[in-house]
Amino acid sequence: MSQPARPMTIYFEVDLNESGNLYQTIDISQCVSMLSRKRYRQGLEWAVSGIRVNAPQAVQMTVATLPQTWSCAQAWKTGFRAWRKMQKEAERDMTTGNEARYLDYKIYFDEDHLDPGSLQYAPNLLPYGTAPAGPTIAYDWDYSEYHWPDDSDMAGATRVCHMIGGDYGSQSVGLIHNYADLRARPMPEDPNIPELGAGSVWTALFDDGGDADAVLSDIALSNDDPPYYIGIDSTTEEYYPGGKNYRADWYSWQISVTNVYNSGAGNSGNGFAPGFTAYCGLIRLHLSGQVNLQNIGLYLDLLPGPEDGYMARPMQEVN
């Protein structure tokens, strides 16, 4: 069956700053919504066939996404369910629905992404030629907020949310970090066998002269801790990848580094970052090269598929 006609390549044009760097975040759902003139929810895992880069001089491009991990997907689902429950409880006594037509759960990449004063990270990179604001333009891409009740431990607080890293002051809560704090820890030793089972009558039943204590010790003590970091009982800290204490920065989640070379003969060079998927369609880019280098072209190639023309799936379906 043929798919609807949708823009499959999104073109961006960027310049490097006076230090020869550029940090930007792309929100695929935002870009596709603008170009298609149709709302696409941020809560999608997008398939990207690749990013092509064209530059007049040598450039290096680093690409990172949100962690492609079970805990990241579960943190998103937990944050989404809490946000919807908050809204449903607030609407419980309303006689008529009053939801905005384009209501959607939107998150930030990390604390750098949500800082409007940081020109290196915010606002989002938009397709070439688009106008995000103006006196005659109505346009929203608002990130979701949580509002705590007045009688709670965070009385009257309002926060947005981001995925990677810990809480960001009084502005934003870290989704992975708070998901980690919500979950029960595995037992530090599993199994926890009294005296390693050596005193059991069933152990003696098969004791035919050999020493089974060493075998039992090996069985009970080798790999009795999880094969991943956990906090110890005396602390409140956790170590989920992408949370507050472990791989808590975007750089830890880079998926490719692409170099564009130039011969210096006046011709531009090309590079290619291979395909990937992006939770929530969020991509962090770092480009570095010649100071104040201009007119770097980026071509984000999407794939056709069943999600209203694109290869994507709701975050609720990510395991």
Side-chain angles (χ1 to χ4, degrees):
M1 183 176 65
S2 63
Q3 299 291 341
R6 298 286 185 262
M8 290 297 158
T9 297
I10 303 175
Y11 174 62
F12 306 88
E13 191 170 291
V14 298
D15 303 328
L16 303 187
N17 60 22
E18 62 277 2
S19 65
N21 287 283
L22 177 73
Y23 295 88
Q24 285 279 198
T25 306
I26 293 175
D27 190 324
I28 297 177
S29 294
Q30 180 186 25
C31 295
V32 173
S33 296
M34 297 183 75
L35 296 178
S36 297
R37 199 172 174 83
K38 178 180 176 63
R39 190 272 301 271
Y40 285 81
R41 297 185 183 277
Q42 192 201 58
L44 295 171
E45 180 189 18
W46 285 86
V48 178
S49 66
I51 301 177
R52 293 171 287 135
V53 55
N54 176 270
Q57 298 292 334
V59 167
Q60 183 180 83
M61 180 178 70
T62 302
V63 179
T65 64
L66 295 181
Q68 300 282 295
T69 62
W70 178 87
S71 54
C72 179
Q74 300 308 311
W76 183 92
K77 294 175 187 178
T78 301
F80 172 74
R81 287 193 293 264
W83 177 74
R84 284 302 288 160
K85 182 178 181 180
M86 174 191 70
Q87 293 178 330
K88 293 299 183 183
E89 290 188 354
E91 294 174 340
R92 192 166 46 197
D93 299 326
M94 295 176 60
T95 57
T96 59
N98 197 35
E99 288 189 353
R101 179 175 180 180
Y102 303 105
L103 182 69
D104 183 33
Y105 182 60
K106 299 184 181 73
I107 70 169
Y108 287 96
F109 193 105
D110 56 10
E111 63 183 52
D112 294 318
H113 183 200
L114 62 91
D115 183 3
S118 174
L119 298 180
Q120 284 195 320
Y121 294 92
N124 291 340
L125 181 62
L126 297 177
Y128 178 77
T130 54
T136 60
I137 294 176
Y139 165 80
D140 278 333
W141 193 262
D142 298 328
Y143 288 83
S144 300
E145 293 182 340
Y146 296 90
H147 305 278
W148 278 264
D150 292 335
D151 58 352
S152 71
D153 291 341
M154 296 177 61
T158 296
R159 304 281 193 277
V160 293
C161 61
H162 59 278
M163 185 59 74
I164 296 177
D167 294 341
Y168 185 50
S170 61
Q171 297 184 44
S172 183
V173 295
L175 290 177
I176 294 177
H177 167 61
N178 283 280
Y179 177 67
D181 285 347
L182 185 68
R183 286 182 48 82
R185 290 172 175 156
M187 292 293 292
E189 294 182 354
D190 189 7
N192 190 348
I193 305 174
E195 299 182 10
L196 303 180
S200 171
V201 296
W202 306 121
T203 302
L205 182 64
F206 298 99
D207 187 355
D208 54 2
D211 186 358
D213 290 352
V215 176
L216 288 171
S217 177
D218 183 57
I219 292 173
L221 297 181
S222 295
N223 296 305
D224 63 332
D225 286 325
Y228 46 83
Y229 298 129
I230 60 172
I232 58 177
D233 291 339
S234 60
T235 71
T236 60
E237 298 297 329
E238 269 304 346
Y239 297 86
Y240 278 48
K244 174 184 176 183
N245 299 305
Y246 181 41
R247 295 169 63 100
D249 56 273
W250 73 266
Y251 189 80
S252 298
W253 300 101
Q254 59 180 298
I255 57 174
S256 69
V257 176
T258 301
N259 288 287
V260 176
Y261 299 99
N262 191 281
S263 65
N267 298 318
S268 60
N270 294 283
F272 178 73
F276 57 92
T277 64
Y279 286 176
C280 299
L282 292 175
I283 304 170
R284 172 63 49 78
L285 299 177
H286 173 215
L287 287 93
S288 60
Q290 180 179 302
V291 172
N292 295 320
L293 181 62
Q294 298 182 337
N295 302 323
I296 302 171
L298 304 176
Y299 301 83
L300 179 69
D301 295 321
L302 302 175
L303 292 167
E307 187 65 34
D308 203 0
Y310 290 98
M311 184 62 71
R313 62 173 173 167
M315 284 295 296
Q316 291 91 332
E317 298 179 6
V318 178
N319 294 320

